[in-house]
Structure formats: structure tokens, C-alpha cells
């Protein structure tokens, strides 16, 4: 089984996150939906943590994935 994943970038490498996209969602829809979910979580709690955002995303079918960030190619 393969899953489509989305990188949630950050200026700080340790804050980069990777989530799977729900199977019934297309890429552009997933991008817009995740953006809205993250914005709503941050708006409802300006001091929210990654765990708060992760919970909100999981409630909408996204799943957090562990990963290893490799060396920079530049």
C-alpha cells in the first residue's frame, strides 16, 4: 500500500513535519484543507503546539509520519 504524503515545511529543520494525505483527497484539495485546519487550530489557540495541530489534522484524516531528514544537497 502506498500513501501520498505532504511535507509541512519550516524554517527550522527540526520543525519540519510529514503527514499522509487521506486516500479520498486529491493533492490540491489536501493542501487547501490542511492549510485551513492548521489556521483554525492556530486561531483558536495562538499558543498551540505541534501536538495541537497534529490532533486537528488527525481529526480530518491526515496522519503524522516519522521520518529522517537527510543532509542538505546545496
Amino acid at each position: 500500500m502506498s500513501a501520498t504524503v505532504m511535507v509541512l515545511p519550516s524554517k527550522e529543520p527540526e520543525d519540519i513535519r510529514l503527514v499522509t494525505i487521506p486516500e479520498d483527497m486529491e493533492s490540491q484539495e489536501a493542501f487547501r484543507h490542511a492549510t485551513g485546519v492548521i489556521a483554525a487550530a492556530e486561531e483558536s489557540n495562538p499558543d498551540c503546539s505541534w501536538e495541537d495541530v497534529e490532533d486537528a489534522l488527525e481529526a480530518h484524516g491526515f496522519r503524522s509520519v516519522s521520518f529522517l531528514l537527510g543532509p542538505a544537497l546545496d
Side-chain angles (χ1 to χ4, degrees):
M1 178 181 144
S2 67
T4 303
V5 296
M6 178 171 34
V7 175
L8 304 179
S10 175
K11 292 178 185 175
E12 300 299 325
E14 63 272 6
D15 292 334
I16 295 171
R17 303 292 186 232
L18 185 68
V19 296
T20 60
I21 294 173
E23 289 183 19
D24 62 341
M25 213 177 271
E26 298 210 11
S27 298
Q28 287 295 346
E29 178 188 3
F31 181 90
R32 287 189 298 271
H33 194 69
T35 300
V37 170
I38 293 167
E42 291 175 339
E43 187 176 296
S44 68
N45 178 7
D47 295 322
C48 72
S49 65
W50 161 246
E51 289 75 19
D52 299 324
V53 172
E54 182 179 32
D55 290 344
L57 286 168
E58 286 185 353
H60 291 266
F62 295 88
R63 298 286 175 251
S64 186
V65 178
S66 296
F67 69 97
L68 174 65
L69 185 62
L73 297 176
D74 53 359

